[in-house]
C-alpha cells in the first residue's frame, strides 16, 4: 500500500518527539543543482492533446505522482469528509483548503459529508517507529488523509514552551540591560572584582521595580496557555494538511526546501508569540512552484478522464 508522507522538520522544543530517524524518500540535492520543477506559464497553456501525449514525460520532469490522484473527481476536484471531533483540526483543514483554493484561483477542495465525499480526513493513533516518523500521510488506496494524533497533541505543549521561553528571555534581557546600565552609571565596570555580586543585586532590584512588566509577562504567559499555543498549532497543521492535499492532487515531493511540498517542513512563525498574537491570517505556505505543479497535475488528470 503506497503512502505519501509528510515529515515535520526537527523542532528545538521536545526534539526527541520529531527526530527524523528514517531515510528521506527523496534524494537530498540543493536547489541550485536541481533542474527546475516549476512549470512555466506557457506550459500551463498547452492543448489537451499535448498533455495526453506528453503526460509521462511531464510527470517525470515535474515530479508528479498520477497514481496518487485516486480521490479526484473527473473534473479534478476533491470533496473532503472531515472525520474528527477536534475543533482546531477542523479549522486547520478549512485553512488548508483555502490555501490551495486561493492559490489555484478556483475551488479545488470542498468539504463534504460522511455520505458525500471523495476522501476522508482523520486521525491515526498508530505509534511512531524508527522507520516511520511522519506526522501526516495520504494513502491513495484507501483515500484517507491522516495525521498522527500523538504528535498533534504534543505539539501544543511544544509551541507553548517555545512562546513562554521567548517571553521569559525578553523579560530577563530587559532586566540584564537595565542592571548593567545602572552599574555603569555608578562607575562600576566588569573589571571590578565584585562585579558579579553587584550585578546580581542590581538585577534583583530592577526586577522588583518592574511590577507593570511582571504583570504584562504574567498576562502574556496566560494568553499563551489559553489561546496562542493552540492558535500556533492550528496554522502549523494547516500547512501539514495542505502538504498532504498536494499529494492528493498528484504532487510528489519537491527538491526545493522553500516549497510546501518539500518532504519535511517547519515554520518558525507558529512558534513566535509576537507573530501568532499579531495573526497569521494572511499567511499562505504554497509557493509558485507548488501552485504551478498542481495546475499541471490537474490538467493532465482532467484530460485523461
Amino acid at each position: 500500500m503506497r503512502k505519501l508522507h509528510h515529515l515535520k522538520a526537527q523542532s528545538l522544543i521536545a526534539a526527541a518527539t520529531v527526530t527524523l530517524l528514517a531515510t528521506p524518500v527523496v534524494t537530498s540535492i540543493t536547489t541550485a543543482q536541481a533542474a527546475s520543477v516549476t512549470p512555466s506559464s506557457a506550459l500551463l497553456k498547452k492543448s489537451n492533446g499535448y498533455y495526453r501525449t506528453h503526460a509521462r514525460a511531464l510527470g517525470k520532469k515535474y515530479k508528479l505522482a498520477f497514481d496518487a490522484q485516486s480521490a479526484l473527481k473527473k473534473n479534478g476536484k476533491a470533496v473532503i469528509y472531515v472525520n474528527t471531533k477536534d475543533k482546531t483540526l477542523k479549522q486547520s483543514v478549512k485553512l488548508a483548503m483555502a490555501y490551495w483554493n486561493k492559490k489555484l484561483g478556483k475551488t479545488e477542495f470542498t468539504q463534504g459529508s460522511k455520505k458525500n465525499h471523495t476522501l476522508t480526513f482523520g486521525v491515526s493513533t498508530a505509534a511512531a517507529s524508527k522507520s516511520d516518523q511522519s506526522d501526516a500521510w495520504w494513502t491513495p488506496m484507501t483515500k484517507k488523509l491522516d495525521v498522527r494524533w500523538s504528535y498533534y497533541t504534543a505539539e501544543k505543549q511544544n509551541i507553548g514552551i517555545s512562546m513562554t521561553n521567548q517571553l521569559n528571555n525578553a523579560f530577563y534581557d530587559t532586566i540584564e540591560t537595565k542592571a548593567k546600565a545602572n552599574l555603569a552609571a555608578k562607575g562600576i565596570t566588569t573589571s571590578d572584582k565584585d562585579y558579579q555580586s553587584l550585578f546580581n543585586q542590581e538585577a534583583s532590584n530592577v526586577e522588583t521595580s518592574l511590577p507593570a512588566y511582571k504583570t504584562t509577562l504574567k498576562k502574556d504567559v496566560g494568553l499563551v496557555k489559553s489561546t496562542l499555543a493552540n492558535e500556533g498549532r492550528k496554522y502549523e497543521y494547516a500547512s501539514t494538511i495542505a502538504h498532504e492535499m498536494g499529494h492528493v492532487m498528484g504532487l510528489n515531493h519537491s527538491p526545493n526546501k522553500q516549497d510546501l511540498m518539500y518532504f519535511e517542513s517547519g515554520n518558525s512563525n507558529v512558534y513566535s508569540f509576537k507573530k501568532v498574537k499579531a495573526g497569521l491570517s494572511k499567511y499562505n505556505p504554497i509557493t509558485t512552484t507548488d501552485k504551478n505543479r498542481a495546475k499541471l497535475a490537474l490538467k493532465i488528470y482532467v484530460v485523461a478522464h
Side-chain angles (χ1 to χ4, degrees), residues 66-191:
F66 301 128
D67 60 341
Q69 297 174 312
S70 61
L72 300 182
K73 300 168 71 174
K74 288 184 178 181
N75 60 4
K77 297 181 183 296
V79 182
I80 304 175
Y81 167 44
V82 183
N83 186 23
T84 178
K85 294 181 180 179
D86 189 274
K87 293 181 180 179
T88 303
L89 266 180
K90 288 181 179 179
Q91 292 172 348
S92 294
V93 174
K94 288 183 178 180
L95 277 171
M97 291 192 295
Y99 289 157
W100 278 114
N101 291 342
K102 183 174 182 179
K103 285 288 184 176
L104 293 172
K106 64 174 185 175
T107 304
E108 169 62 26
F109 293 98
T110 56
Q111 188 168 334
S113 64
K114 188 174 182 178
K115 292 184 178 180
N116 179 28
H117 64 275
T118 62
L119 70 106
T120 299
F121 169 85
V123 297
S124 171
T125 58
S129 65
K130 287 185 177 181
S131 61
D132 182 8
Q133 292 283 310
S134 50
D135 58 352
W137 55 89
W138 162 240
T139 310
M141 184 179 294
T142 59
K143 301 181 183 181
K144 292 184 65 178
L145 192 169
D146 292 299
V147 298
R148 197 181 304 278
W149 184 250
S150 59
Y151 281 3
Y152 173 74
T153 54
E155 194 59 9
K156 181 178 177 180
Q157 181 179 14
N158 294 341
I159 293 174
I161 291 172
S162 176
M163 289 182 175
T164 300
N165 285 345
Q166 291 170 30
L167 292 169
N168 285 329
N169 289 341
F171 176 52
Y172 287 105
D173 284 347
T174 299
I175 291 174
E176 180 180 8
T177 299
K178 189 170 180 62
K180 287 180 177 179
N182 290 349
L183 292 178
K186 297 176 183 178
I188 301 172
T189 67
T190 55
S191 60

Side-chain angles (χ1 to χ4, degrees), residues 17-67:
T17 303
V18 292
T19 301
L20 305 183
L21 299 177
T23 302
V25 295
V26 293
T27 304
S28 178
I29 51 180
T30 63
T31 304
Q33 295 173 326
S36 174
V37 294
T38 308
S40 66
S41 297
L43 178 60
L44 296 175
K45 296 177 182 178
K46 296 288 187 179
S47 67
N48 289 348
Y50 179 89
Y51 297 130
R52 289 192 189 96
T53 302
H54 301 283
R56 178 176 293 184
L58 292 171
K60 182 177 181 180
K61 181 175 181 179
Y62 295 103
K63 299 186 180 298
L64 307 181
F66 301 128
D67 60 341

